[in-house]
Amino acid sequence: VGGKLHTGRSRNDQVATDTRMWTVQAERDVLLAMGELLEAGTTAASKHMDVLMAGYTHLQPAQPIRFSHWLMSHVTALQRDAERLKELIPRANVCPLGSGALAGNAFGVDRTFLAQELGFDGGVASNSLDAVCDRDFVVEFLFWSTLMLVHLSQLSEDLIITNMLKGIDMDDAYATGSSLMPQKKNPDALELLRGKAGIALGRAVGFTATLKGLPRAYNKDLQEDKVPLFEAVDTVKDCLAIATGVLSTMVPNPTKLKEALCPEMLATDLADYLVRKGVPFRETHHISGACVRKAEEEGIPLDALTLDQLQSIDARFGDDVLGVWDYEASVERKSSIGGTSRASVQKQIDDVIAFVKTL
């Protein structure tokens, strides 16, 4: 009986089957870890909704935003990663068993039954020759891990800069002291996260290059899929656990974050003030720019300009223009979907929480 088990079977379809089964389970585990990270992000965003900070473009102060809005910008990217991973699983969860070495099985094996018994929800591979050499699902995970780690790298870089400016306090579990300077508290965990994206890209490009020159059906080159795949899964799991810990334990410093706010960040609000009076934005943009230049010439902050000085630039400025110099009001005016107002950010949080429940 034992000798008959080998009938119609090949290592080629069996190793493809094993690799797919392992990959699908690994992807499901990673998806759950993604859910935990998203939960940590939304929890932190909800907890610190009142904290305001400077929003930057080109690393220059741009407009005031909520700390929660900034954090949700990273959570949103990670949600897309989770969505993409969900899409990968059905393509990996296809059964190649019964394809034989390349030409199929000569004894009428019930491949649909095999797929069901092994838990392959996606059914059977439709072409036996392709089934034994298809490693698209490995490449997809490698590139998925690269993009996800790029997003973690971007989050890490933002946090490293904010930590440098004392805008957040890192938990001691994710920071280390210097071997020489006792005052140092280095964000080592974030630096390690930031460094993983480049290695992940190397794995993805390297294995894709291996596939590039292969003729059809199985070749021994395909065994090179294991090392990058196993390393990628281990790296992703570790990085997600670390990132979840960082977001769960970090604490923003409202005082330091507020210090980065400056009146010039409300120049657009000054332009918008006149827009609400019916003045075209193209015109108000120039008027607001003239106010900024006036403040620079006087050597004073923008919000220190008097009503007379503002009206000397444009007579349509009224007494109520002084209400523009309010960071909280500025933030709350950005109430469109995706904006930085309290209600808009809360909707972003609620949408991610609802998504996590689907994982």
Side-chain angles (χ1 to χ4, degrees):
V1 175
K4 293 181 179 180
L5 287 175
H6 194 184
T7 305
R9 295 177 182 268
S10 168
R11 285 173 300 185
N12 298 358
D13 63 342
Q14 288 178 313
V15 73
T17 301
D18 291 344
T19 305
R20 283 181 179 272
M21 292 178 70
W22 188 93
T23 302
V24 168
Q25 186 56 56
E27 288 175 338
R28 287 171 173 164
D29 293 343
V30 169
L31 192 57
L32 292 177
M34 287 291 301
E36 293 174 359
L37 176 58
L38 294 174
E39 282 186 4
T42 54
T43 298
S46 297
K47 184 176 181 180
H48 303 296
M49 182 72 80
D50 294 333
V51 178
L52 301 185
M53 66 179 288
Y56 296 85
T57 63
H58 310 281
L59 282 180
Q60 299 297 308
Q63 291 182 301
I65 59 174
R66 293 193 183 279
F67 176 83
S68 297
H69 187 222
W70 164 81
L71 182 54
M72 287 305 297
S73 74
H74 288 287
V75 171
T76 300
L78 292 166
Q79 180 184 351
R80 290 196 301 272
D81 291 325
E83 291 169 347
R84 273 186 286 269
L85 184 56
K86 284 182 69 175
E87 294 167 0
L88 298 191
I89 293 174
R91 285 195 291 275
N93 202 19
V94 174
C95 183
L97 194 62
S99 296
L102 77 161
N105 187 284
F107 294 92
V109 64
D110 188 342
R111 293 189 62 209
T112 300
F113 174 78
L114 289 177
Q116 292 172 346
E117 287 294 295
L118 293 173
F120 283 101
D121 299 332
V124 300
S126 60
N127 181 284
S128 62
L129 199 141
D130 174 70
V132 297
C133 65
D134 174 20
R135 296 298 184 273
D136 291 2
F137 64 97
V138 175
V139 174
E140 282 195 309
F141 184 80
L142 294 178
F143 275 106
W144 176 87
S145 69
T146 301
L147 184 54
M148 191 280 293
L149 289 171
V150 164
H151 291 149
L152 284 188
S153 178
Q154 293 172 338
L155 169 62
S156 299
E157 175 68 4
D158 263 4
L159 288 173
I160 288 168
I161 293 173
T162 307
N163 178 70
M164 177 185 70
L165 300 174
K166 308 302 181 185
I168 59 167
D169 294 323
M170 294 280 297
D171 190 90
D172 287 347
Y174 300 97
T176 61
S178 166
S179 59
L180 177 65
M181 298 164 283
Q183 83 281 9
K184 296 287 295 297
K185 185 177 179 180
N186 300 325
D188 283 5
L190 294 172
E191 292 171 5
L192 292 170
L193 287 177
R194 187 177 58 184
K196 293 301 182 182
I199 302 300
L201 178 59
R203 280 192 290 261
V205 172
F207 182 60
T208 304
T210 297
L211 295 179
K212 168 186 170 293
L214 296 187
R216 219 58 188 142
Y218 185 81
N219 297 272
K220 277 292 185 182
D221 314 49
L222 290 171
Q223 69 182 6
E224 297 299 324
D225 62 351
K226 305 303 183 299
V227 171
L229 176 61
F230 295 164
E231 287 182 348
V233 170
D234 289 344
T235 298
V236 163
K237 288 182 176 179
D238 289 344
C239 288
L240 289 174
I242 293 169
T244 300
V246 169
L247 294 187
S248 299
T249 58
M250 71 176 187
V251 180
N253 186 329
T255 301
K256 286 294 184 181
L257 290 172
K258 190 173 183 179
E259 287 177 3
L261 296 172
C262 60
E264 287 67 32
M265 299 175 71
L266 298 173
T268 303
D269 294 81
L270 188 62
D272 290 346
Y273 167 86
L274 289 176
V275 169
R276 291 185 174 88
K277 290 183 176 290
V279 184
F281 181 78
R282 186 177 292 274
E283 183 180 348
T284 68
H285 183 276
H286 292 298
I287 295 169
S288 180
C291 294
V292 172
R293 286 193 299 274
K294 179 67 173 177
E296 291 175 347
E297 292 168 359
E298 296 291 332
I300 59 176
L302 183 60
D303 64 345
L305 290 175
T306 65
L307 179 59
D308 289 340
Q309 288 173 313
L310 290 171
Q311 290 179 334
S312 69
I313 296 171
D314 194 287
R316 287 168 290 192
F317 285 120
D319 294 344
D320 57 343
V321 70
L322 300 181
V324 166
W325 315 123
D326 185 320
Y327 298 116
E328 180 69 29
S330 171
V331 165
E332 281 302 289
R333 281 190 286 267
K334 311 301 190 301
S335 57
S336 61
I337 294 175
T340 195
S341 71
R342 182 182 299 272
S344 295
V345 175
Q346 187 59 56
K347 184 180 187 310
Q348 296 164 43
I349 293 171
D350 293 341
D351 287 348
V352 174
I353 291 174
F355 169 75
V356 170
K357 293 178 180 178
T358 69
L359 299 181

